[in-house]
Amino acid sequence: MTASSAGWALLGGMMIGVASALLLWGIGRSAGVSGIAAGLLSFGSAPGRERDWAWRAEFMAGLLAGGLLLRWWMPGALGVPALSLGILALAGLLVGFGARLGGGCTSGHGICGLGRLSRRSLVAVPVFMVTAMITVALVRYLGMRG
Amino acid sequence: MKHLYPFVTGLLFAVGLGLGGMTRPEKIIGFLDVGGAWDASLIFVMGGALLVYLPFVQWPRRASPALARQLGPRQGPIDRALVGGAAIFGVGWGLSGLCPGPAIVALAGGQPALYLFVACLFLGLALGRRWAPG
């Protein structure tokens, strides 16, 4: 990667950090996207940490609006995985299931959890990084990537 | 205003992901592809995020015990669900180069493949609930 793309990556990351901090400061919630999404599925259930549909829907709407901005202002920013539909569907299932089971995703564990120095996240992050790397290596070896 | 706030944070989050290249699966795969030409973008993105977020969380915890209790890490166990879930997530992430945040943002690109991925992601979340502890 070039120095300028590293710069953009750092800037983008800091924006994510600011957004996460704002969410925590403003409404006391963590910006772990899998958790926010999971809570959307739980509306109507017994009171617990998964309720409060409105802010979750608003955050998601913000994600989509941001996506539209990117689509208009940064052509090529929104990519598509080069995978067969079957593998893509499987991957989506695994990401959702794994995030729910493990209590977080890259933003939940990787940013919010690590930011809190959570032991759970200090375990989860290396685990998913390593399994992801092994998966990529296997996919390469098996010639699956389109 | 109260309803605009989470919306604006989501928007900022999404633009950050986009600027950082995280909505391009090939950049994530490039990072995870330790054997090939390595793309370090993810490190810079996560590093940038933590550079802001970590002090933001840690400083008030030192400043006030009440805040410390509120912001403390979830006191859950390091159990099979955590490790197993992270591993399963890792496989899906490694296959696609997508995790929930970027996938939802990328929906705005209008590509059917993303709709499929996100639909399956939500199905996975729903299924995971039956297995997840608590």
Side-chain angles (χ1 to χ4, degrees), chain A residues 50-85:
Chain A
E50 291 183 359
R51 54 188 173 148
D52 301 350
W53 200 82
W55 76 267
R56 296 171 191 273
E58 287 145 12
F59 184 87
M60 290 294 187
L63 287 182
L64 290 170
L68 282 172
L69 273 180
L70 291 165
R71 181 179 176 175
W72 292 329
W73 287 347
M74 276 183 74
L78 304 180
V80 184
L83 281 181
S84 69
L85 292 183

PDB file of all heavy atoms in Angstrom, chain A residues 50-85:
ATOM      1  N   GLU A  50     -31.188  -5.932  24.855  1.00  0.00           N
ATOM      2  CA  GLU A  50     -31.393  -5.893  23.413  1.00  0.00           C
ATOM      3  C   GLU A  50     -32.557  -5.033  22.957  1.00  0.00           C
ATOM      4  O   GLU A  50     -32.819  -4.960  21.777  1.00  0.00           O
ATOM      5  CB  GLU A  50     -31.591  -7.325  22.893  1.00  0.00           C
ATOM      6  CG  GLU A  50     -30.320  -8.132  22.989  1.00  0.00           C
ATOM      7  CD  GLU A  50     -30.491  -9.523  22.419  1.00  0.00           C
ATOM      8  OE1 GLU A  50     -31.588  -9.856  21.984  1.00  0.00           O
ATOM      9  OE2 GLU A  50     -29.509 -10.269  22.403  1.00  0.00           O
ATOM     10  N   ARG A  51     -33.199  -4.324  23.848  1.00  0.00           N
ATOM     11  CA  ARG A  51     -34.361  -3.555  23.354  1.00  0.00           C
ATOM     12  C   ARG A  51     -33.934  -2.218  22.767  1.00  0.00           C
ATOM     13  O   ARG A  51     -32.818  -2.034  22.353  1.00  0.00           O
ATOM     14  CB  ARG A  51     -35.389  -3.365  24.446  1.00  0.00           C
ATOM     15  CG  ARG A  51     -34.765  -2.779  25.624  1.00  0.00           C
ATOM     16  CD  ARG A  51     -35.516  -2.660  26.847  1.00  0.00           C
ATOM     17  NE  ARG A  51     -34.496  -2.197  27.802  1.00  0.00           N
ATOM     18  CZ  ARG A  51     -34.731  -1.415  28.824  1.00  0.00           C
ATOM     19  NH1 ARG A  51     -35.947  -1.006  29.051  1.00  0.00           N
ATOM     20  NH2 ARG A  51     -33.773  -1.042  29.628  1.00  0.00           N
ATOM     21  N   ASP A  52     -34.834  -1.271  22.689  1.00  0.00           N
ATOM     22  CA  ASP A  52     -34.549   0.040  22.121  1.00  0.00           C
ATOM     23  C   ASP A  52     -34.329  -0.052  20.630  1.00  0.00           C
ATOM     24  O   ASP A  52     -33.215   0.049  20.125  1.00  0.00           O
ATOM     25  CB  ASP A  52     -33.354   0.707  22.794  1.00  0.00           C
ATOM     26  CG  ASP A  52     -33.568   0.903  24.281  1.00  0.00           C
ATOM     27  OD1 ASP A  52     -34.694   0.709  24.759  1.00  0.00           O
ATOM     28  OD2 ASP A  52     -32.583   1.224  24.940  1.00  0.00           O
ATOM     29  N   TRP A  53     -35.439  -0.235  19.946  1.00  0.00           N
ATOM     30  CA  TRP A  53     -35.398  -0.418  18.523  1.00  0.00           C
ATOM     31  C   TRP A  53     -35.011   0.854  17.786  1.00  0.00           C
ATOM     32  O   TRP A  53     -34.281   0.813  16.804  1.00  0.00           O
ATOM     33  CB  TRP A  53     -36.804  -0.879  18.072  1.00  0.00           C
ATOM     34  CG  TRP A  53     -36.832  -1.553  16.762  1.00  0.00           C
ATOM     35  CD1 TRP A  53     -36.552  -2.851  16.500  1.00  0.00           C
ATOM     36  CD2 TRP A  53     -37.159  -0.954  15.526  1.00  0.00           C
ATOM     37  NE1 TRP A  53     -36.692  -3.103  15.173  1.00  0.00           N
ATOM     38  CE2 TRP A  53     -37.069  -1.968  14.550  1.00  0.00           C
ATOM     39  CE3 TRP A  53     -37.538   0.329  15.135  1.00  0.00           C
ATOM     40  CZ2 TRP A  53     -37.339  -1.714  13.196  1.00  0.00           C
ATOM     41  CZ3 TRP A  53     -37.803   0.581  13.784  1.00  0.00           C
ATOM     42  CH2 TRP A  53     -37.693  -0.450  12.838  1.00  0.00           C
ATOM     43  N   ALA A  54     -35.486   1.993  18.266  1.00  0.00           N
ATOM     44  CA  ALA A  54     -35.375   3.237  17.507  1.00  0.00           C
ATOM     45  C   ALA A  54     -33.940   3.630  17.199  1.00  0.00           C
ATOM     46  O   ALA A  54     -33.590   3.865  16.032  1.00  0.00           O
ATOM     47  CB  ALA A  54     -36.092   4.365  18.236  1.00  0.00           C
ATOM     48  N   TRP A  55     -33.095   3.685  18.218  1.00  0.00           N
ATOM     49  CA  TRP A  55     -31.726   4.133  17.960  1.00  0.00           C
ATOM     50  C   TRP A  55     -30.995   3.170  17.040  1.00  0.00           C
ATOM     51  O   TRP A  55     -30.164   3.581  16.220  1.00  0.00           O
ATOM     52  CB  TRP A  55     -30.955   4.359  19.270  1.00  0.00           C
ATOM     53  CG  TRP A  55     -30.492   3.108  19.971  1.00  0.00           C
ATOM     54  CD1 TRP A  55     -31.152   2.427  20.935  1.00  0.00           C
ATOM     55  CD2 TRP A  55     -29.274   2.399  19.737  1.00  0.00           C
ATOM     56  NE1 TRP A  55     -30.428   1.333  21.325  1.00  0.00           N
ATOM     57  CE2 TRP A  55     -29.271   1.285  20.613  1.00  0.00           C
ATOM     58  CE3 TRP A  55     -28.178   2.592  18.878  1.00  0.00           C
ATOM     59  CZ2 TRP A  55     -28.224   0.368  20.654  1.00  0.00           C
ATOM     60  CZ3 TRP A  55     -27.129   1.671  18.917  1.00  0.00           C
ATOM     61  CH2 TRP A  55     -27.168   0.575  19.804  1.00  0.00           C
ATOM     62  N   ARG A  56     -31.325   1.874  17.141  1.00  0.00           N
ATOM     63  CA  ARG A  56     -30.682   0.883  16.279  1.00  0.00           C
ATOM     64  C   ARG A  56     -31.075   1.116  14.823  1.00  0.00           C
ATOM     65  O   ARG A  56     -30.228   1.067  13.924  1.00  0.00           O
ATOM     66  CB  ARG A  56     -31.078  -0.530  16.707  1.00  0.00           C
ATOM     67  CG  ARG A  56     -30.609  -0.887  18.094  1.00  0.00           C
ATOM     68  CD  ARG A  56     -31.218  -2.210  18.559  1.00  0.00           C
ATOM     69  NE  ARG A  56     -30.976  -2.408  19.979  1.00  0.00           N
ATOM     70  CZ  ARG A  56     -29.885  -2.963  20.464  1.00  0.00           C
ATOM     71  NH1 ARG A  56     -28.921  -3.395  19.668  1.00  0.00           N
ATOM     72  NH2 ARG A  56     -29.742  -3.096  21.769  1.00  0.00           N
ATOM     73  N   ALA A  57     -32.359   1.328  14.610  1.00  0.00           N
ATOM     74  CA  ALA A  57     -32.838   1.576  13.248  1.00  0.00           C
ATOM     75  C   ALA A  57     -32.244   2.867  12.713  1.00  0.00           C
ATOM     76  O   ALA A  57     -31.881   2.948  11.533  1.00  0.00           O
ATOM     77  CB  ALA A  57     -34.362   1.649  13.242  1.00  0.00           C
ATOM     78  N   GLU A  58     -32.137   3.869  13.552  1.00  0.00           N
ATOM     79  CA  GLU A  58     -31.566   5.149  13.133  1.00  0.00           C
ATOM     80  C   GLU A  58     -30.092   5.004  12.775  1.00  0.00           C
ATOM     81  O   GLU A  58     -29.617   5.561  11.780  1.00  0.00           O
ATOM     82  CB  GLU A  58     -31.775   6.202  14.234  1.00  0.00           C
ATOM     83  CG  GLU A  58     -33.227   6.673  14.321  1.00  0.00           C
ATOM     84  CD  GLU A  58     -33.684   6.987  15.736  1.00  0.00           C
ATOM     85  OE1 GLU A  58     -32.834   7.057  16.639  1.00  0.00           O
ATOM     86  OE2 GLU A  58     -34.908   7.171  15.921  1.00  0.00           O
ATOM     87  N   PHE A  59     -29.367   4.244  13.584  1.00  0.00           N
ATOM     88  CA  PHE A  59     -27.946   4.000  13.274  1.00  0.00           C
ATOM     89  C   PHE A  59     -27.814   3.276  11.940  1.00  0.00           C
ATOM     90  O   PHE A  59     -26.995   3.649  11.090  1.00  0.00           O
ATOM     91  CB  PHE A  59     -27.306   3.186  14.399  1.00  0.00           C
ATOM     92  CG  PHE A  59     -25.833   2.958  14.220  1.00  0.00           C
ATOM     93  CD1 PHE A  59     -24.906   3.882  14.671  1.00  0.00           C
ATOM     94  CD2 PHE A  59     -25.361   1.799  13.592  1.00  0.00           C
ATOM     95  CE1 PHE A  59     -23.535   3.678  14.503  1.00  0.00           C
ATOM     96  CE2 PHE A  59     -23.996   1.590  13.421  1.00  0.00           C
ATOM     97  CZ  PHE A  59     -23.079   2.528  13.885  1.00  0.00           C
ATOM     98  N   MET A  60     -28.637   2.251  11.748  1.00  0.00           N
ATOM     99  CA  MET A  60     -28.594   1.492  10.492  1.00  0.00           C
ATOM    100  C   MET A  60     -28.932   2.388   9.304  1.00  0.00           C
ATOM    101  O   MET A  60     -28.308   2.283   8.239  1.00  0.00           O
ATOM    102  CB  MET A  60     -29.581   0.318  10.529  1.00  0.00           C
ATOM    103  CG  MET A  60     -29.180  -0.782  11.479  1.00  0.00           C
ATOM    104  SD  MET A  60     -27.662  -1.607  10.917  1.00  0.00           S
ATOM    105  CE  MET A  60     -27.597  -2.925  12.108  1.00  0.00           C
ATOM    106  N   ALA A  61     -29.920   3.239   9.494  1.00  0.00           N
ATOM    107  CA  ALA A  61     -30.291   4.180   8.430  1.00  0.00           C
ATOM    108  C   ALA A  61     -29.094   5.075   8.107  1.00  0.00           C
ATOM    109  O   ALA A  61     -28.837   5.387   6.942  1.00  0.00           O
ATOM    110  CB  ALA A  61     -31.500   5.012   8.848  1.00  0.00           C
ATOM    111  N   GLY A  62     -28.369   5.451   9.152  1.00  0.00           N
ATOM    112  CA  GLY A  62     -27.159   6.260   8.960  1.00  0.00           C
ATOM    113  C   GLY A  62     -26.109   5.518   8.166  1.00  0.00           C
ATOM    114  O   GLY A  62     -25.454   6.083   7.288  1.00  0.00           O
ATOM    115  N   LEU A  63     -25.952   4.215   8.467  1.00  0.00           N
ATOM    116  CA  LEU A  63     -24.998   3.390   7.710  1.00  0.00           C
ATOM    117  C   LEU A  63     -25.375   3.376   6.229  1.00  0.00           C
ATOM    118  O   LEU A  63     -24.515   3.526   5.352  1.00  0.00           O
ATOM    119  CB  LEU A  63     -24.973   1.951   8.225  1.00  0.00           C
ATOM    120  CG  LEU A  63     -24.315   1.637   9.554  1.00  0.00           C
ATOM    121  CD1 LEU A  63     -24.378   0.126   9.802  1.00  0.00           C
ATOM    122  CD2 LEU A  63     -22.864   2.097   9.604  1.00  0.00           C
ATOM    123  N   LEU A  64     -26.656   3.195   5.966  1.00  0.00           N
ATOM    124  CA  LEU A  64     -27.118   3.142   4.579  1.00  0.00           C
ATOM    125  C   LEU A  64     -26.964   4.502   3.894  1.00  0.00           C
ATOM    126  O   LEU A  64     -26.541   4.585   2.734  1.00  0.00           O
ATOM    127  CB  LEU A  64     -28.577   2.694   4.525  1.00  0.00           C
ATOM    128  CG  LEU A  64     -28.807   1.226   4.897  1.00  0.00           C
ATOM    129  CD1 LEU A  64     -30.289   0.932   5.059  1.00  0.00           C
ATOM    130  CD2 LEU A  64     -28.194   0.293   3.858  1.00  0.00           C
ATOM    131  N   ALA A  65     -27.272   5.557   4.614  1.00  0.00           N
ATOM    132  CA  ALA A  65     -27.112   6.900   4.057  1.00  0.00           C
ATOM    133  C   ALA A  65     -25.644   7.174   3.757  1.00  0.00           C
ATOM    134  O   ALA A  65     -25.303   7.742   2.705  1.00  0.00           O
ATOM    135  CB  ALA A  65     -27.651   7.944   5.038  1.00  0.00           C
ATOM    136  N   GLY A  66     -24.776   6.734   4.663  1.00  0.00           N
ATOM    137  CA  GLY A  66     -23.338   6.876   4.427  1.00  0.00           C
ATOM    138  C   GLY A  66     -22.925   6.108   3.194  1.00  0.00           C
ATOM    139  O   GLY A  66     -22.094   6.558   2.405  1.00  0.00           O
ATOM    140  N   GLY A  67     -23.529   4.930   3.035  1.00  0.00           N
ATOM    141  CA  GLY A  67     -23.251   4.128   1.856  1.00  0.00           C
ATOM    142  C   GLY A  67     -23.649   4.856   0.579  1.00  0.00           C
ATOM    143  O   GLY A  67     -22.913   4.823  -0.426  1.00  0.00           O
ATOM    144  N   LEU A  68     -24.775   5.524   0.609  1.00  0.00           N
ATOM    145  CA  LEU A  68     -25.218   6.286  -0.559  1.00  0.00           C
ATOM    146  C   LEU A  68     -24.253   7.425  -0.848  1.00  0.00           C
ATOM    147  O   LEU A  68     -23.899   7.679  -2.004  1.00  0.00           O
ATOM    148  CB  LEU A  68     -26.618   6.836  -0.334  1.00  0.00           C
ATOM    149  CG  LEU A  68     -27.757   5.833  -0.496  1.00  0.00           C
ATOM    150  CD1 LEU A  68     -29.086   6.439  -0.065  1.00  0.00           C
ATOM    151  CD2 LEU A  68     -27.849   5.335  -1.934  1.00  0.00           C
ATOM    152  N   LEU A  69     -23.808   8.105   0.192  1.00  0.00           N
ATOM    153  CA  LEU A  69     -22.820   9.173   0.016  1.00  0.00           C
ATOM    154  C   LEU A  69     -21.566   8.627  -0.653  1.00  0.00           C
ATOM    155  O   LEU A  69     -21.026   9.223  -1.582  1.00  0.00           O
ATOM    156  CB  LEU A  69     -22.422   9.768   1.372  1.00  0.00           C
ATOM    157  CG  LEU A  69     -23.273  10.897   1.944  1.00  0.00           C
ATOM    158  CD1 LEU A  69     -22.712  11.334   3.290  1.00  0.00           C
ATOM    159  CD2 LEU A  69     -23.284  12.074   0.980  1.00  0.00           C
ATOM    160  N   LEU A  70     -21.115   7.484  -0.162  1.00  0.00           N
ATOM    161  CA  LEU A  70     -19.921   6.867  -0.732  1.00  0.00           C
ATOM    162  C   LEU A  70     -20.170   6.499  -2.193  1.00  0.00           C
ATOM    163  O   LEU A  70     -19.305   6.698  -3.044  1.00  0.00           O
ATOM    164  CB  LEU A  70     -19.526   5.614   0.054  1.00  0.00           C
ATOM    165  CG  LEU A  70     -18.994   5.840   1.464  1.00  0.00           C
ATOM    166  CD1 LEU A  70     -19.002   4.536   2.246  1.00  0.00           C
ATOM    167  CD2 LEU A  70     -17.577   6.405   1.411  1.00  0.00           C
ATOM    168  N   ARG A  71     -21.304   5.983  -2.468  1.00  0.00           N
ATOM    169  CA  ARG A  71     -21.616   5.582  -3.841  1.00  0.00           C
ATOM    170  C   ARG A  71     -21.534   6.764  -4.795  1.00  0.00           C
ATOM    171  O   ARG A  71     -21.043   6.644  -5.925  1.00  0.00           O
ATOM    172  CB  ARG A  71     -23.009   4.973  -3.884  1.00  0.00           C
ATOM    173  CG  ARG A  71     -23.417   4.498  -5.251  1.00  0.00           C
ATOM    174  CD  ARG A  71     -24.785   3.890  -5.198  1.00  0.00           C
ATOM    175  NE  ARG A  71     -25.253   3.497  -6.522  1.00  0.00           N
ATOM    176  CZ  ARG A  71     -26.389   2.851  -6.730  1.00  0.00           C
ATOM    177  NH1 ARG A  71     -27.167   2.519  -5.720  1.00  0.00           N
ATOM    178  NH2 ARG A  71     -26.749   2.545  -7.955  1.00  0.00           N
ATOM    179  N   TRP A  72     -22.008   7.922  -4.310  1.00  0.00           N
ATOM    180  CA  TRP A  72     -22.015   9.113  -5.165  1.00  0.00           C
ATOM    181  C   TRP A  72     -20.648   9.786  -5.235  1.00  0.00           C
ATOM    182  O   TRP A  72     -20.234  10.256  -6.286  1.00  0.00           O
ATOM    183  CB  TRP A  72     -23.055  10.111  -4.667  1.00  0.00           C
ATOM    184  CG  TRP A  72     -24.457   9.621  -4.837  1.00  0.00           C
ATOM    185  CD1 TRP A  72     -24.937   8.801  -5.815  1.00  0.00           C
ATOM    186  CD2 TRP A  72     -25.572   9.925  -3.991  1.00  0.00           C
ATOM    187  NE1 TRP A  72     -26.278   8.575  -5.617  1.00  0.00           N
ATOM    188  CE2 TRP A  72     -26.705   9.249  -4.533  1.00  0.00           C
ATOM    189  CE3 TRP A  72     -25.741  10.708  -2.840  1.00  0.00           C
ATOM    190  CZ2 TRP A  72     -27.963   9.337  -3.947  1.00  0.00           C
ATOM    191  CZ3 TRP A  72     -26.999  10.797  -2.275  1.00  0.00           C
ATOM    192  CH2 TRP A  72     -28.101  10.120  -2.820  1.00  0.00           C
ATOM    193  N   TRP A  73     -19.935   9.855  -4.085  1.00  0.00           N
ATOM    194  CA  TRP A  73     -18.711  10.640  -4.017  1.00  0.00           C
ATOM    195  C   TRP A  73     -17.433   9.854  -4.227  1.00  0.00           C
ATOM    196  O   TRP A  73     -16.404  10.426  -4.574  1.00  0.00           O
ATOM    197  CB  TRP A  73     -18.624  11.340  -2.664  1.00  0.00           C
ATOM    198  CG  TRP A  73     -19.569  12.481  -2.510  1.00  0.00           C
ATOM    199  CD1 TRP A  73     -20.283  13.087  -3.496  1.00  0.00           C
ATOM    200  CD2 TRP A  73     -19.879  13.162  -1.303  1.00  0.00           C
ATOM    201  NE1 TRP A  73     -21.030  14.105  -2.959  1.00  0.00           N
ATOM    202  CE2 TRP A  73     -20.810  14.186  -1.628  1.00  0.00           C
ATOM    203  CE3 TRP A  73     -19.463  13.038   0.026  1.00  0.00           C
ATOM    204  CZ2 TRP A  73     -21.324  15.041  -0.659  1.00  0.00           C
ATOM    205  CZ3 TRP A  73     -19.977  13.896   0.977  1.00  0.00           C
ATOM    206  CH2 TRP A  73     -20.901  14.890   0.639  1.00  0.00           C
ATOM    207  N   MET A  74     -17.471   8.576  -3.969  1.00  0.00           N
ATOM    208  CA  MET A  74     -16.263   7.774  -4.081  1.00  0.00           C
ATOM    209  C   MET A  74     -16.546   6.553  -4.944  1.00  0.00           C
ATOM    210  O   MET A  74     -16.786   5.470  -4.418  1.00  0.00           O
ATOM    211  CB  MET A  74     -15.803   7.281  -2.693  1.00  0.00           C
ATOM    212  CG  MET A  74     -14.971   8.239  -1.920  1.00  0.00           C
ATOM    213  SD  MET A  74     -14.436   7.491  -0.330  1.00  0.00           S
ATOM    214  CE  MET A  74     -13.181   6.341  -0.871  1.00  0.00           C
ATOM    215  N   PRO A  75     -16.540   6.737  -6.255  1.00  0.00           N
ATOM    216  CA  PRO A  75     -16.814   5.588  -7.127  1.00  0.00           C
ATOM    217  C   PRO A  75     -15.817   4.480  -6.832  1.00  0.00           C
ATOM    218  O   PRO A  75     -14.627   4.730  -6.657  1.00  0.00           O
ATOM    219  CB  PRO A  75     -16.595   6.142  -8.541  1.00  0.00           C
ATOM    220  CG  PRO A  75     -16.656   7.612  -8.404  1.00  0.00           C
ATOM    221  CD  PRO A  75     -16.233   7.955  -7.011  1.00  0.00           C
ATOM    222  N   GLY A  76     -16.302   3.286  -6.736  1.00  0.00           N
ATOM    223  CA  GLY A  76     -15.415   2.174  -6.448  1.00  0.00           C
ATOM    224  C   GLY A  76     -15.237   1.887  -4.975  1.00  0.00           C
ATOM    225  O   GLY A  76     -14.604   0.899  -4.610  1.00  0.00           O
ATOM    226  N   ALA A  77     -15.820   2.729  -4.117  1.00  0.00           N
ATOM    227  CA  ALA A  77     -15.673   2.502  -2.676  1.00  0.00           C
ATOM    228  C   ALA A  77     -16.436   1.262  -2.227  1.00  0.00           C
ATOM    229  O   ALA A  77     -16.032   0.571  -1.295  1.00  0.00           O
ATOM    230  CB  ALA A  77     -16.148   3.709  -1.890  1.00  0.00           C
ATOM    231  N   LEU A  78     -17.588   1.015  -2.863  1.00  0.00           N
ATOM    232  CA  LEU A  78     -18.419  -0.107  -2.446  1.00  0.00           C
ATOM    233  C   LEU A  78     -18.150  -1.294  -3.346  1.00  0.00           C
ATOM    234  O   LEU A  78     -18.530  -1.295  -4.510  1.00  0.00           O
ATOM    235  CB  LEU A  78     -19.902   0.285  -2.512  1.00  0.00           C
ATOM    236  CG  LEU A  78     -20.292   1.522  -1.704  1.00  0.00           C
ATOM    237  CD1 LEU A  78     -21.780   1.808  -1.855  1.00  0.00           C
ATOM    238  CD2 LEU A  78     -19.928   1.369  -0.236  1.00  0.00           C
ATOM    239  N   GLY A  79     -17.518  -2.294  -2.800  1.00  0.00           N
ATOM    240  CA  GLY A  79     -17.157  -3.446  -3.604  1.00  0.00           C
ATOM    241  C   GLY A  79     -18.100  -4.618  -3.418  1.00  0.00           C
ATOM    242  O   GLY A  79     -19.014  -4.593  -2.590  1.00  0.00           O
ATOM    243  N   VAL A  80     -17.888  -5.634  -4.209  1.00  0.00           N
ATOM    244  CA  VAL A  80     -18.670  -6.865  -4.143  1.00  0.00           C
ATOM    245  C   VAL A  80     -17.696  -8.034  -4.013  1.00  0.00           C
ATOM    246  O   VAL A  80     -16.678  -8.044  -4.708  1.00  0.00           O
ATOM    247  CB  VAL A  80     -19.508  -7.057  -5.432  1.00  0.00           C
ATOM    248  CG1 VAL A  80     -20.378  -8.282  -5.319  1.00  0.00           C
ATOM    249  CG2 VAL A  80     -20.326  -5.823  -5.727  1.00  0.00           C
ATOM    250  N   PRO A  81     -17.984  -8.998  -3.170  1.00  0.00           N
ATOM    251  CA  PRO A  81     -17.069 -10.143  -3.065  1.00  0.00           C
ATOM    252  C   PRO A  81     -17.104 -10.974  -4.347  1.00  0.00           C
ATOM    253  O   PRO A  81     -18.171 -11.161  -4.944  1.00  0.00           O
ATOM    254  CB  PRO A  81     -17.622 -10.955  -1.895  1.00  0.00           C
ATOM    255  CG  PRO A  81     -18.708 -10.169  -1.303  1.00  0.00           C
ATOM    256  CD  PRO A  81     -19.118  -9.113  -2.247  1.00  0.00           C
ATOM    257  N   ALA A  82     -15.959 -11.470  -4.744  1.00  0.00           N
ATOM    258  CA  ALA A  82     -15.875 -12.299  -5.945  1.00  0.00           C
ATOM    259  C   ALA A  82     -16.085 -13.745  -5.548  1.00  0.00           C
ATOM    260  O   ALA A  82     -15.141 -14.522  -5.417  1.00  0.00           O
ATOM    261  CB  ALA A  82     -14.508 -12.121  -6.585  1.00  0.00           C
ATOM    262  N   LEU A  83     -17.331 -14.103  -5.313  1.00  0.00           N
ATOM    263  CA  LEU A  83     -17.637 -15.450  -4.835  1.00  0.00           C
ATOM    264  C   LEU A  83     -18.883 -15.971  -5.524  1.00  0.00           C
ATOM    265  O   LEU A  83     -19.741 -15.204  -5.934  1.00  0.00           O
ATOM    266  CB  LEU A  83     -17.965 -15.421  -3.336  1.00  0.00           C
ATOM    267  CG  LEU A  83     -16.853 -15.336  -2.305  1.00  0.00           C
ATOM    268  CD1 LEU A  83     -17.470 -15.339  -0.906  1.00  0.00           C
ATOM    269  CD2 LEU A  83     -15.885 -16.490  -2.444  1.00  0.00           C
ATOM    270  N   SER A  84     -19.020 -17.285  -5.572  1.00  0.00           N
ATOM    271  CA  SER A  84     -20.262 -17.858  -6.071  1.00  0.00           C
ATOM    272  C   SER A  84     -21.366 -17.536  -5.063  1.00  0.00           C
ATOM    273  O   SER A  84     -21.104 -17.309  -3.884  1.00  0.00           O
ATOM    274  CB  SER A  84     -20.107 -19.367  -6.211  1.00  0.00           C
ATOM    275  OG  SER A  84     -20.011 -19.948  -4.927  1.00  0.00           O
ATOM    276  N   LEU A  85     -22.607 -17.501  -5.541  1.00  0.00           N
ATOM    277  CA  LEU A  85     -23.724 -17.141  -4.673  1.00  0.00           C
ATOM    278  C   LEU A  85     -23.872 -18.093  -3.493  1.00  0.00           C
ATOM    279  O   LEU A  85     -24.231 -17.686  -2.391  1.00  0.00           O
ATOM    280  CB  LEU A  85     -25.030 -17.079  -5.471  1.00  0.00           C
ATOM    281  CG  LEU A  85     -25.117 -15.938  -6.484  1.00  0.00           C
ATOM    282  CD1 LEU A  85     -26.484 -15.927  -7.158  1.00  0.00           C
ATOM    283  CD2 LEU A  85     -24.854 -14.592  -5.834  1.00  0.00           C
TER     284      LEU A  85
END
